[in-house]
Amino acid sequence: KDLSLIRNFSIIAHIDHGKSTLSDRIIQICGGLTDRELKEQVLDSMDIERERGITIKAQSVTLDYLADDGKTYQLNFIDTPGHVDFSYEVSRSLYACEGALLVVDAGQGVEAQSVANCYTAVEQGLEVLPVLNKMDLPQADPDKVSKEIEEIIGLDATDACQVSAKSGMGMEGLLERLVRDIPAPKGDRDAPLQALIVDSWFDNYLGVVSLVRVFDGTLKKGDKIRMTSTGRDWPVGEVGIFTPLRKETGILRAGEVGFVVAGIKDIHGAPVGDTITHTKTPDVPRLPGFQKVKPQVYAGMFPVSADDYEDFRDALEKLALNDASLDYEPENSDALGFGFRVGFLGTLHMEIIQERLEREYNLDLLTTAPTVVYELAMDSGEIIYVSNPSKLPDMANVNEMREPVVRASILVPQEFVGNVITECEQRRGTQLDMQFLGSQIQLTYELPMSEVVMDFFDRLKSITKGYASLDYNFERFEAAKLVRLDVLINGDRVDALAVIIHRDHAHSRGRLLVEKMKELIPRQMFDVAIQAAIGGQVVARSTVKALRKNVTAKCYGGDASRKKKLLEKQKAGKKRMKQVGRVEIPQDAFLAVLKVN
Ligand code: GDP
Ligand code: MG
């Protein structure tokens, strides 16, 4: 394709504003798929994604569009994930594009995540086209939403495209605008090869497949390429595009986006953000790479049955081939035995990984409460990082303990702003800014990351009837009065239940925690004492009373179906329990600390 006939773009949208539907519609109009194939939303291909309605992995599609000017354009659409946990993937997708569509639900308005991503796009010099979606809905208010886009993001939205991705209304107009307003890529096809790895994933048959954007030169099947970060050379086995099905073309030229397979077996051999060139032109400058993604929260994961340990390790290894942000190392817990300490981007990422491990690899796992990474300045001058409460060193040798702090941006309709401020204050937040933007208010807070990654987002949603939106980024480590809260079951400290919390909250949380655990730990044949302790001093206690009779006695005999239900419930509950000493502790009890705010 002639460079002037190529358009590389991406879609920025908040979850549920219609990105997948819009993508499907574009693919359909450009003839990329039949109606039957479209039935399955193609761009969200993983099962879990489809169920949760979020896009995790960036994907791309190359399409032909016959425009009104009679020319056929090549549209390269690079998908981006929509959830706050995955925002690091967005910036690299944007880097490969010249433009982006900002899709906003015309009945909902602008949300914080989209604002952050939009700023990234504008900073990277992309042309951003506002698109008002769901115009078929009666509550669509294009004037209000256009004004919001102008006030909050600063984009001119007076003649924003108005579409219904669902009905197809306005779609042709959108594609014409896209071709007209998004600039064609620049690049020299005769120059030495310079290509960027936008994404890499592991395929069971092909090995590592990388999505690349070629900036200069030409990449062909059979070429010898070099990964500039590792200096390793690889023969190119396959080159092509996604239509969205994988299609070999044997060549990718400057300005184009597609895949390359080069016999690489491990995702770290083709790291995202790396620059590819030819072996014969090793001096080609590296494109500005991307920060290595660092996990933000860590949790212990343990197989319920010790026999599953090997399978668990294999499964993690496989998942990590696909997901460079997944980090793990073996962990040995007194209470839970052998498992792994696993690092995640956020708690949603954690849930998704746990779900995949259980569903795709048939494992029963117990997860401990997630924790952020703490920075410890030791008396010796050494700085260490701790991501496991039970591995805290002797506090006598610690000069200062620091917690990660984030800068959070929250967009919320005015009526709920009081609730949000109260919530932020309870979580030790410091307000930096408050701005009225259209009918919404933008709050900027500094908050301890531990307070944000746990259940903050869910809490925000529930105190604002679902209207608040959130975006946050790590700022720095800050000294804080932190302590480890230990939990003792029948007098024994259970390492996997320990948490690090702020000293001012330690007593109240300790009390709530033992109460919550009392509800969660099933009654046994003997009394179970639950205690919370700080530095050996017990601050709260509760007792799960011994079981007196058969549980089913509670059902008053007659009601057989209730009896059956209860037994089934017990059986299901049984699955995720772990015997700690003589006491059976269910999964929920390990996560109880998340529920006591
Ligand atoms: P995504 O999370 O941004 O990918 O959003 P989806 O494309 O999955 O859409 C979220 C929901 O909005 C789905 O139930 C869609 O059917 C619905 N939806 C998307 N576009 C439209 C539209 O133009 N009109 C209406 N009425 N519903 C839409
Ligand atoms: Mg989607």
Side-chain angles (χ1 to χ4, degrees):
K1 265 289 174 202
D2 191 82
L3 274 174
S4 68
L5 295 177
I6 297 177
R7 296 293 180 272
N8 297 313
F9 71 102
S10 160
I11 297 182
I12 297 170
H14 196 267
I15 293 163
D16 277 348
H17 283 211
K19 187 177 68 179
S20 299
T21 313
L22 189 81
S23 320
D24 291 352
R25 189 63 66 199
I26 294 176
I27 293 169
Q28 187 189 30
I29 291 172
C30 297
L33 283 179
T34 63
D35 286 350
R36 189 181 51 81
E37 287 168 313
L38 252 181
K39 272 203 192 113
E40 298 277 305
Q41 279 200 349
V42 282
L43 283 172
D44 299 344
S45 49
M46 278 197 275
D47 267 4
I48 296 171
E49 278 190 37
R50 206 174 305 124
E51 278 169 31
R52 293 181 181 245
I54 47 171
T55 309
I56 303 166
K57 271 280 161 202
Q59 302 279 359
S60 88
V61 191
T62 299
L63 299 161
D64 282 335
Y65 174 64
L66 176 60
D68 287 351
D69 61 10
K71 295 178 187 156
T72 300
Y73 290 81
Q74 182 191 91
L75 306 185
N76 293 309
F77 164 39
I78 300 179
D79 197 14
T80 55
H83 190 273
V84 57
D85 275 9
F86 303 101
S87 58
Y88 79 100
E89 299 220 2
V90 175
S91 66
R92 64 162 108 126
S93 310
L94 294 177
Y95 193 82
C97 302
E98 280 74 39
L101 309 181
L102 167 68
V103 176
V104 181
D105 181 332
Q108 291 269 343
V110 175
E111 314 238 12
Q113 184 81 63
S114 310
V115 179
N117 290 336
C118 229
Y119 287 158
T120 310
V122 171
E123 267 163 32
Q124 293 182 359
L126 271 65
E127 180 71 31
V128 179
L129 299 184
V131 178
L132 308 182
N133 188 32
K134 307 201 187 181
M135 286 300 296
D136 57 300
L137 293 177
Q139 68 265 36
D141 189 345
D143 294 339
K144 182 183 143 228
V145 174
S146 297
K147 244 180 105 190
E148 261 187 37
I149 293 176
E150 284 169 23
E151 288 184 20
I152 301 179
I153 305 178
L155 280 178
D156 181 8
T158 31
D159 57 348
C161 292
Q162 303 190 0
V163 307
S164 165
K166 198 169 183 175
S167 75
M169 184 200 87
M171 289 301 298
E172 299 282 348
L174 170 61
L175 287 164
E176 287 299 319
R177 278 286 289 281
L178 196 160
V179 163
R180 191 190 78 196
D181 292 348
I182 292 180
K186 298 191 180 73
D188 181 353
R189 291 178 167 172
D190 300 319
L193 175 67
Q194 189 192 39
L196 175 78
I197 301 184
V198 178
D199 197 5
S200 284
W201 60 94
F202 185 80
D203 180 284
N204 281 333
Y205 297 101
L206 302 167
V208 173
V209 181
S210 296
L211 179 68
V212 298
R213 159 74 196 266
V214 182
F215 283 90
D216 271 327
T218 303
L219 177 61
K220 287 193 301 290
K221 184 174 177 151
D223 283 354
K224 271 198 103 173
I225 54 169
R226 169 163 300 184
M227 297 292 162
T228 55
S229 73
T230 61
R232 283 193 67 179
D233 295 330
W234 304 90
V236 175
E238 265 189 40
V239 177
I241 56 173
F242 293 102
T243 66
L245 308 171
R246 200 179 65 241
K247 181 174 152 194
E248 274 200 76
T249 58
I251 187 166
L252 284 174
R253 281 165 299 197
E256 297 180 334
V257 177
F259 71 88
V260 53
V261 175
I264 302 170
K265 290 290 168 241
D266 174 346
I267 201 115
H268 300 286
V272 167
D274 205 352
T275 302
I276 300 179
T277 188
H278 284 123
T279 305
K280 59 180 192 253
T281 55
D283 296 329
V284 162
R286 283 168 76 172
L287 291 155
F290 300 102
Q291 285 173 311
K292 186 182 168 348
V293 271
K294 275 206 226 101
Q296 314 263 25
V297 294
Y298 284 80
M301 292 182 112
F302 298 86
V304 170
S305 151
D307 298 342
D308 285 344
Y309 180 77
E310 297 294 319
D311 288 347
F312 181 30
R313 195 192 47 211
D314 291 348
L316 273 176
E317 218 166 82
K318 286 213 180 89
L319 283 183
L321 284 174
N322 266 321
D323 185 344
S325 60
L326 190 67
D327 193 26
Y328 62 95
E329 58 176 52
E331 177 180 0
N332 186 8
S333 153
D334 297 336
L336 300 178
F338 290 100
F340 288 90
R341 193 85 193 153
V342 189
F344 306 95
L345 297 169
T347 45
L348 176 71
H349 188 214
M350 175 176 114
E351 282 172 36
I352 288 174
I353 294 293
Q354 175 158 14
E355 242 177 88
R356 291 190 61 187
L357 285 165
E358 301 199 326
R359 206 186 296 193
E360 295 168 29
Y361 297 92
N362 246 323
L363 294 162
D364 265 338
L365 299 171
L366 261 162
T367 309
T368 65
T371 177
V372 297
V373 180
Y374 293 92
E375 186 178 88
L376 274 62
M378 306 300 287
D379 288 336
S380 61
E382 200 190 348
I383 300 280
I384 60 168
Y385 294 90
V386 174
S387 58
N388 187 344
S390 67
K391 299 266 152 65
L392 267 186
D394 184 352
M395 293 311 279
N397 303 325
V398 178
N399 180 28
E400 192 171 77
M401 194 161 165
R402 303 173 189 140
E403 64 179 341
V405 168
V406 302
R407 187 187 177 92
S409 165
I410 301 160
L411 269 180
V412 60
Q414 290 186 25
E415 51 190 305
F416 304 113
V417 78
N419 295 354
V420 173
I421 289 176
T422 309
E423 185 68 25
C424 288
E425 269 159 18
Q426 276 171 6
R427 291 176 187 251
R428 301 188 280 128
T430 310
Q431 197 182 96
L432 300 182
D433 191 30
M434 172 158 149
Q435 275 192 51
F436 290 75
L437 297 164
S439 57
Q440 300 203 63
I441 289 181
Q442 181 168 42
L443 292 167
T444 310
Y445 268 90
E446 267 192 2
L447 283 151
M449 185 188 277
S450 61
E451 300 282 344
V452 175
V453 290
M454 303 313 169
D455 62 340
F456 184 54
F457 188 55
D458 292 341
R459 194 61 201 135
L460 262 189
K461 285 283 179 199
S462 80
I463 60 176
T464 63
K465 299 209 171 116
Y467 281 109
S469 54
L470 165 76
D471 184 66
Y472 63 85
N473 283 298
F474 170 77
E475 278 273 296
R476 61 198 150 82
F477 282 100
E478 190 176 88
K481 294 181 229 151
L482 300 161
V483 292
R484 186 176 73 203
L485 186 72
D486 287 320
V487 175
L488 290 77
I489 302 284
N490 280 348
D492 293 328
R493 185 173 89 89
V494 179
D495 58 357
L497 288 170
V499 289
I500 293 172
I501 54 179
H502 196 268
R503 193 158 68 201
D504 295 348
H505 291 175
H507 282 75
S508 57
R509 292 244 176 124
R511 268 194 303 279
L512 290 166
L513 184 63
V514 294
E515 281 310 313
K516 190 83 207 166
M517 296 210 15
K518 180 181 159 185
E519 288 168 27
L520 295 169
I521 294 180
R523 300 172 78 180
Q524 329 253 333
M525 300 311 291
F526 44 87
D527 280 1
V528 178
I530 306 165
Q531 294 169 308
I534 300 166
Q537 188 202 346
V538 173
V539 297
R541 72 182 73 229
S542 68
T543 305
V544 180
K545 285 283 174 208
L547 212 52
R548 263 179 237 120
K549 290 197 189 85
N550 191 328
V551 225
T552 52
K554 263 201 269 178
C555 293
Y556 312 113
D559 191 340
S561 75
R562 253 186 81 184
K563 202 163 173 172
K564 206 171 128 212
K565 247 194 207 141
L566 186 66
L567 287 171
E568 269 167 15
K569 226 167 126 192
Q570 281 185 327
K571 223 164 95 195
K574 198 112 199 147
K575 234 174 73 179
R576 298 263 216 97
M577 292 242 209
K578 192 87 182 181
Q579 185 95 19
V580 176
R582 291 162 63 212
V583 183
E584 291 207 303
I585 304 184
Q587 164 74 79
D588 281 352
F590 287 94
L591 300 177
V593 67
L594 297 184
K595 294 169 186 130
V596 300
N597 279 310

